[in-house]
Structure formats: structure tokens, C-alpha cells
Amino acid sequence: MNARLALLSAVEPGVVESEVFRLALQHAVGELGALGGMIHLRGPMSALRLVSAAGLPAALTRPWEIIDQEGPLAPARVLHQGRGVWAPTESGEQPVSAGSGAVSWPGTGLASVPVFYGARGIGALTVVMGDQGEPTVEQWGFLQAVIAWTEERIRQAPPPARHLREELSGGLLRQALKEVPVGSWDWNVQTGELVWDEAALELYRTSPADFTGRIEDWMRIVHPDDLAPTLRAADRALRHRTVFEAEYRVRRLDGTYGWTQTRARATYDAQGEPVRMIGVGWESNESRSALDALSRALRHMSDGFLAVDDHWRILFLNLAAEHMLGSSEEEVFGRVLWELPSVQQVPDLEKRCREAAAAQQPAGFDMEAPNTGRLLHLRLVPGPDCLTLYFTDVTDKRRHEAERAAAQHAATERAARIAELTASLAKATTSRDVVEAVARRVLPPFGASGLLVQIIEGDRLYNVGAVGYPRAFLDSINGVPRVVHDPFWDTILSGTPLFLRSRAEYTTRYPKLVARPTQGRKQAWAFMPLTASGHTFGVCVVSFDQPRRLTDEERTLLTTISALVAQALERARLYDAEHTRSQELQRSLLPSGLPELPACTAAARYLPAGQGMDVGGDWYDIIPLSGGQVALVVGDVMGHGLPEAATMGRLRTAVHTLADLELPPDEIMSHLNDIVGGMAEESYATCLYALYDSTTQICSVARAGHPPPAVVHPDGSVHFPELTPDPPLGAAEPPFETFEMTVPDGSLLVLYTDGLVESATREIDDGMAELARLLRAAHEGSGEVAADLERLCDTVTAGLLPAEDSTADDAALLVARLHALTDDDMASWPLPEDPRAAGKARCHVREQLHTWGLDNLTPTTELLVSELVGNVVRHAKGPVRLRLLRGPELVCEVFDGSLTMPRIRRASETDEGGRGLQLITALSRRWGTRYTATGKCIWTEQPLLGPDSPAGPSADVLDLPLLDCEEFARDLEALTSGDQELPGSAPQ
């Protein structure tokens, strides 16, 4: 007996078919000395499929993977002839599908013998002969012996396992249940759209990125030999309304092909036209050993698998499904699924499954397994003959997904916080803004409770801002000197972060500071240096209420944050310094206090713009003038910054200078307009100038682009004068209009800038209406608020600009209560236009001062009146009028009809005149002139003397150079008669 046949005979029965083919082919090639060999078996669609090969490269076998059973090739011919076939290589033995470029067979030819299963030929064994040519008779006999052994072992191979009860499920169901995975698909016959579920994508070896959702996706993967007959089968099923069932090969990702089976049924519209075809597919292998392996895998796979018929009767379940349902297959086979107690414990399971089955589309959802607390994912796949349900334990998967989602959410939230922090720090202008932004954006995502920022000034650390610490603790660490073994200084000096996760670690590292953690009420800390431009200037401390070990990611993130904070804080410190200088400049330019005047009492407020805004150009002023007059001014230079503040100072100085010249309001506005227009930079300003005369109770107002004043009468009524608006200074065209109004004694004149009544959320008209309401409300009841101007200012500013609201513009408020000079404090007389005027004037003065009880001022006042009236009579023209005003000072005024102003000059020893104004300067506290509607007025002011004050001119006046006292007395007596002038009277 041949040795190889003896070896084959030693193989025990029960070997699977694939191993039988491998052994038969191996010994056939070895015995004949062939180059290689292959075995083909009958497959679907009238094709022979290559199932085993030995010694042959893929380039040779690829065209022979599928060959036509009816073709002329050697494997096909042996099936038809039932005997061995020799095919020389000269005959060009190649499949039609191989093409002209196919590799030719080596050697001399192919020797092929048929394989039978009973009386039916099922395949062929083919060997490729080398140079020895056609096999000898003995070799043909050996091949026949190998085939006989193969046929015997095939009959002895184990049959496929039976998992389902054939009498209930049928052959089709058994075939479907033996295959895994099962993919579902939905083909729109009319549009060509194709839907595959995840299992179908895996079954047909297609990635989601390559799937376009068209029927062409399926056609591209089907073997070319199988595409036409498969389409014909589908067309036949659509026309005859039968079940579509087919088996075909699909191309795998590695380029090879694998068999799949599919089964589907179509739906039709009202006209009987096919609309959709819905079906399932699964892998199919003609190897019974493979089917057996798949069946065992399905039975023992970890996921639960359950099949039911159209009435929800259980047809099959694997071991995992038995465990989930709490019953064996024998106990539940044929029972309705919803009758099982374990199924009834799952809420809405029946409803959801029925809805999915009715839709004839695959569906999946999570459910909680009864009595276990495990989370299962149920996937229901409708098929033509049954419904399959897959149960997968996703408890750990969902937990991991939740953990990943939580981690991603936390990371996303932290990234968002960092982005928000970056945006907030970009907007922060002051150190306080920086600390607030860090506290708001950094502490919550890290679960921190405290923030402390310190910077170096000199050799000490000072607090910039803090959140979450007791005040006593902050005071104790404010101004800590440079020391060693201190966490603040260690962080700064090393330039590296320091993380302390507990109080124990803190006290171990810093034993001399054991009390500090308790005082600060914290249990974990992150000390991070603040470094900008290579210079460490401070430290930022993030602290926690509980012990905390920061992860490497958190430490890296905090270090990154500290760099952002350092840059922002460095900018903020520069801004703070500049802002402080700007505010100091602005405070120096505003009035340090308001004068106490008989014509008015006043209170004022200046409110700078909100945090982060530059200084503004708003100002107010009260300027005392002569004759019981007072000027009230408010203005606003447009814009913010040092240039605007400087412009405000220049304008305020200019207003003082122009007001001292006692020019009318409209002329003052014209001069201010020229000043603003002449500035190098493009500047604009608004201004309101009010001139109040307490002797007439007339208030003259001129404005340039400024809101009108509010007038509050003693009865509490409020109105805004209807003034003609003029453009702002720098854009106006003089002349300006002057509005005059009579203001009752005790009325309030309220001047303000637009920042008080106007904002981004409030129109100026609404703000003025609210101002009027607040002023009226202050007079209601007892009127205590209105009586106290300081309280009134606080009430108005609090009502219009609440402290909690940040404003974008500065604001100024000036409230003045106007007082009229009573008739008892005024006296006025017309004087003749001749030398007698001086004598009459002295007579009126003596009488009036005696009436007022001011006899001690009589000599000096007579001397002043004599000089003033004498000059008017000599150098001016009438009409001439004398007026005395009694207040805190005694005011003496002489009016005439001339517009020529006197000028003081220095007189030499030989000059006969030029000393009159020097005398007036020496006798009065101050003197001046002003224009009137009919000419001018020369006035003097003297302080009121007490009863013990000496009468007459002071000794220093009588000691004036070139003044002889005896001659002065004679001249004064002569003036009484009115027949001569004082020697040395100055010309006007």
C-alpha cells in the first residue's frame, strides 16, 4: 500500500470538511510531484468556487476563485464527464473573467478528477503538473484513491448543529439564526436610496465614510458574477410579490470576497407599485464546519439573542438570553414573550417593541434588567419571517461613557472658563477688576473658596485684592516683609508654583507659621508667582476649604492662568497709577470748596465715571462778583482722559478771568468759544453760565450745548427755562443768546452736566424728568431734605446714579439757594453832574451809615466817595448815581454814563495827578469797575468794623508819600463846600 494512502487512512473519522480537503490536496501534490493544486466545489448561481489551494500564488488562483460550472475549464469538465481530465497548458486554460493580462499556468498542464457525494458530483480536485507532463496510469490511480478517501471522510464529517425546532421555525429561520451578525437594510425602490444599520455596514465591509446611501453602494461590493442574477431575483420578487432570497459574494476590505445571504419582502402603494424593500442579511459559508462554528458562537455568545414569530412567540434564545429571562429554552419555547414575568417587570418594553415592529425598521434603546440593576441595550431587527432581539449589557459601557462625557464636559467647561477669564482680563482695567475676574472665572471650576493677590512694594508684600478670607487674617499678612521660609516669598523668590494639599503639609513645611492656616480658615493652597516681562512682582494664591490634591492637569492649568493674571495685573497697575495721577490732577482743578456768599448758599457734587473709565472734563464753579452778584458755572469737556481734564482746567481758569472782568454772560461765552476753537487738538465743550444779581433778583443765563438749569421755587414747583439751544463751544457761531428770569428769594438753581441725567439706558428727557421728580419730592413733607443742600445733593445723585450701577460718564451737580438783598440793606441816590455832587454824596453816606450803625466807617467811606464822585464829575458824564449795599462788607458804587474805564498807574514825585486810584486801593479791601446797560460802575468794598474799631483812615493810608495830613484836612473841608477837587485826582 502506498505510504501516503496509509497516512491518510490513519486519519480518524469525524474530521471537518476543510481539513479533509487540505490533507487530500497536500498528499496529491506531493505524490505526483506537482507544482500545486486546488479544490473547487459547487456553489450558488451555477458557479464553482475555490475552497482550498496548495503551492499556488494568489496571482494564479484569483481568476479561478469563481468559475462557471458549465464552462470548458478542467474542473467544470470533470463534473460533466464524471472522469479525470488532462488539460495541457498549450490550450490556454484560463477562466473567461481572467482577461488577456492573466498569468499563464506554469508546467505542462492541469490534471483534474471529480469529487462525488453519493451519485452527485460536488466538485473537482486539480493539480498543476511540472515538466513530467500528464500523470501516469499509476498516478491517475493514486488520484482516484485520494478522491475515494475524500468522499468517505466527507460522509463522515460532523453535520451542522440544530439550534431551532424545525417543525416550528422552518429551514429559513434556522439558516438565519445560525449566522451572526445580522444586518438590516431598507431600499427605496423608486429613488434608489439605501439605508444600512451598523450591523449591515460591518456585514458588507463598508465604512460609514464611504457609504453614500445609494443602491450603488451595494452594487459596488457584490461580485461581478453575482450581481446580474441577484438583481434578476430581486426583480422577479418585486413583480411576483414574493420573498426575495439570494446568496452572493461581497468584497471584503482586504480585497477578498465572502458569501452573504439576504432575505427581504417589498411594500407596495395603492397603485400596486413597489415602494420599499426591507430585509436582513447575514454571512453565509458553504463550509458546514463554519456554519456549525457560527451556530455554537450564537448559542454561547455573551450578548443575549432572542427570536420571535409574528405573534411574539419565542422561537429561539441563547444562553445569555436564558439568564436574562430567568428561564431555559425548553421552559419558554413557544410562549408569548410578554407573558414572561421577567419581561413584565420592564416598563414600556412591550409598547416600544411593538412600535418598532410596526414601523418595520430596526430600533434600539436602553432598559434596566429586572432584579439585577444592570443596564441592557435592546436592538430589535424586523425580518421577513421573524423578529430578532439582541440584548447587550452596557452597564460598564454607559458608565464609562458617562465618565468620559463628564470629563469632557468638565474639560469643556474649564476651557470655556479660561476663555471667559481671558475675555474678562482683556476688559479689566484696574487691579480690582482683575481680582474680581479671577474670583468669578477661576474659583468655581476648581471648587476653590479663596483667592488672594499680593504684589511687592519695596521689600514688603501688600494685598491687592482677596475673596473668601477673614478681614483680620488679611490685615495680619498685609505688608509682610521679605523673609525666608514663608510660602508667599518662597514662591516669588523661586519663581515656581507651590502646591500644599493639607494643613499638615503646610505646618510640616513651615513650622513657624502653624497658626496661619487656622487664621485663614483654609486647608489646601496653590501659590503661583506673578511674572510679567521676566520680572516676578507678586503672588496669586488659590485656596480650598478641604484638603485637595491637584492633578497634573489642574496644576498646569493654574500655572497658565497665573501667567494670564500676571499680564493683566501688570497692565492694571499701570492704569491704576495713571488713573490716580489723573484723579489727583482733576481734584486739583476743581474747587476745593464753595465760597460763603450773601447772594447764595450752595452745595456741589462731582461723580467720576465708573470703574475702568478715564477721568472726565466736567466741572462747576461759583464766582463772587461785585454789587451783590454771583456767577454760577457748570461745564463738560467732551471725552475722557488727561487731555480733557487739562482742557477743563484751562476753561475754568478762563471763566474766572472773564468773570472778574464782569463781562455779560453772552460775551463770556463768545470768548470761551474762541478759546476752545483755538486749541490745537479738536476739542468741544458744553457750558452754562448763570449770573445772579441779588439786588434785582434777576438771573441771566447763557449756554452752549448744555442742558438747561432746573429752577425750584420756594413752593416746591420745578421747571426748566426754555432756552434757545446753542452748539457746543468750539462749534458755535457767536453771538450767544442771554435769557433773563426773575428768581424769587429762597429759590434753588440746579445746574448739572449730562452725565447726571443721560446714560446708555436713559434718554436725557427722561433723566431731566426724574431730576424734577426728586427735587419736588425733597420739598414734600417737612422739607428737611430741601433745606439741607448737602442732603439734597446726596438724594439727587443716589436717585439718578445708584452706587451699584457703573456709569460710563462723569457727572457734576451744583445746587444753589439764591438770596435777595433786602431794601433795608440797600440805599441809592442820584447825584448832580457838577462839583456839588461830592458834598452831597458825603452827606448821604454820613446819614446812611449812621442809620445802619456804621459810624466808624464814615470817614473812610466819605473819602472814598469823594474820590470816586470827584473823578466822575471831572472826567465822565451823567447821569450819576450813588448806591450803598450792606452785607458782610460795605459796598460803595458810583454809576455814570461813560464807558471809559479808569486805569491805575504809578505817579512820580513831580506828577500832580495819578494818586487817586492808589488812595482807593489803600482805603478799600478791593475795588473794580464793570459795564452797565447805560455806562459803567466803579465800586469799592470795605470790611464791616466792630464798635471798638478806630474811625477814619488807617495810619498807613495817612502816611502815603507826598500826603500832608494838615493839607488833607483842609482839602476835605473844601470838598464839603464842593468848590474844588482833591489835589492829585487821577484822570480817567
Side-chain angles (χ1 to χ4, degrees), residues 10-87:
V11 176
E12 296 181 358
V15 177
V16 295
E17 291 179 354
S18 58
E19 183 66 11
V20 172
F21 294 150
R22 185 186 69 80
L23 291 173
L25 193 59
Q26 178 180 348
H27 286 283
V29 171
E31 180 66 22
L32 271 65
L35 300 177
M38 51 189 172
I39 295 178
H40 286 83
L41 293 180
R42 290 180 184 270
M45 309 296 180
S46 301
L48 284 173
R49 183 162 65 91
L50 178 67
V51 297
S52 185
L56 300 176
L60 286 173
T61 61
R62 189 175 297 113
W64 289 72
E65 288 181 350
I66 303 294
I67 60 177
D68 189 1
Q69 296 182 19
E70 307 300 328
L73 299 182
R77 282 189 289 155
V78 298
L79 287 178
H80 288 290
Q81 298 175 12
R83 58 182 177 82
V85 172
W86 167 253

Side-chain angles (χ1 to χ4, degrees), residues 137-193:
V137 175
E138 292 79 8
Q139 291 175 331
W140 281 112
F142 177 82
L143 290 177
Q144 293 295 337
V146 170
I147 291 300
W149 177 86
T150 301
E151 293 171 349
E152 180 184 5
R153 289 297 188 270
I154 289 176
R155 289 191 295 271
Q156 297 173 351
R162 292 170 58 85
H163 293 289
L164 298 177
R165 301 176 188 266
E166 189 168 2
E167 63 273 15
L168 290 179
S169 60
L172 175 62
L173 184 57
R174 287 197 307 273
Q175 178 71 12
L177 294 178
K178 291 176 184 177
E179 308 299 325
V180 288
V182 177
S184 61
W185 51 267
D186 186 339
W187 172 32
N188 190 315
V189 180
Q190 297 180 352
T191 64
E193 294 178 353

Side-chain angles (χ1 to χ4, degrees), residues 206-486:
T206 302
S207 65
D210 297 332
F211 184 65
T212 63
R214 302 290 303 172
I215 191 63
E216 288 79 9
D217 290 327
W218 172 78
M219 296 176 66
R220 278 196 297 269
I221 64 171
V222 177
H223 194 284
D225 292 347
D226 300 339
L227 181 60
T230 305
L231 289 178
R232 284 196 299 271
D235 180 71
R236 185 166 54 253
L238 290 174
R239 285 187 288 103
H240 299 291
R241 299 194 178 191
T242 59
V243 174
F244 166 58
E245 186 175 8
E247 186 174 33
Y248 49 87
R249 292 161 292 174
V250 296
R251 185 176 63 251
R252 300 187 180 96
L253 295 178
D254 60 359
T256 63
Y257 283 88
W259 285 96
T260 63
Q261 282 187 283
T262 190
R263 184 175 172 82
R265 188 180 293 276
T267 61
Y268 299 81
D269 58 17
Q271 288 73 35
E273 295 295 327
V275 178
R276 295 163 56 198
M277 179 175 280
I278 302 172
V280 294
W282 60 93
E283 290 184 357
S284 72
N285 252 318
E286 292 184 16
S287 170
R288 299 182 65 84
S289 60
L291 291 176
D292 180 66
L294 288 175
S295 298
R296 289 195 301 271
L298 180 61
R299 177 66 178 169
H300 297 280
M301 71 179 183
S302 59
D303 291 346
F305 180 84
L306 181 70
V308 296
D309 62 13
D310 294 340
H311 300 287
W312 298 97
R313 290 191 297 266
I314 298 175
L315 302 176
F316 172 81
L317 70 164
N318 65 359
L319 295 177
E322 290 179 359
H323 177 72
M324 293 176 186
L325 297 179
S327 303
S328 65
E329 182 181 13
E330 288 74 13
E331 294 173 338
V332 300
F333 185 82
R335 295 181 60 183
V336 176
L337 178 63
W338 317 123
E339 296 177 354
L340 301 181
S342 57
V343 175
Q344 294 175 353
Q345 297 178 23
V346 181
D348 297 329
L349 177 60
E350 180 180 359
K351 175 183 176 183
R352 299 174 74 173
C353 288
R354 288 187 182 277
E355 289 175 352
Q360 283 295 302
Q361 290 186 352
F365 53 85
D366 289 352
M367 52 173 275
E368 185 175 344
N371 303 322
T372 64
R374 305 292 292 178
L375 192 65
L376 304 178
H377 180 75
L378 171 64
R379 190 165 70 94
L380 186 146
V381 181
D385 296 322
C386 67
L387 289 155
T388 56
L389 291 84
Y390 296 85
F391 299 89
T392 304
D393 190 331
V394 293
T395 305
D396 295 336
K397 180 180 180 181
R398 293 292 184 262
R399 186 181 71 252
H400 294 324
E401 290 176 351
E403 291 173 352
R404 286 195 300 271
Q408 291 175 356
H409 177 74
T412 302
E413 186 171 333
R414 278 198 296 269
R417 293 276 185 177
I418 295 303
E420 292 173 356
L421 173 63
T422 304
S424 298
L425 292 178
K427 298 176 182 178
T429 53
T430 67
S431 299
R432 180 181 175 185
D433 293 339
V434 173
V435 174
E436 290 179 352
V438 175
R440 187 170 58 253
R441 304 298 185 188
V442 175
L443 299 189
F446 286 92
S449 60
L451 174 70
L452 174 62
V453 178
Q454 291 187 314
I455 61 172
I456 302 174
E457 292 183 9
D459 284 335
R460 293 180 177 271
L461 276 175
Y462 291 94
N463 299 337
V464 173
V467 174
Y469 286 96
R471 172 54 56 187
F473 172 76
L474 295 176
D475 293 340
S476 67
I477 63 172
N478 192 31
V480 174
R482 183 191 298 262
V483 294
V484 294
H485 301 304
D486 182 281

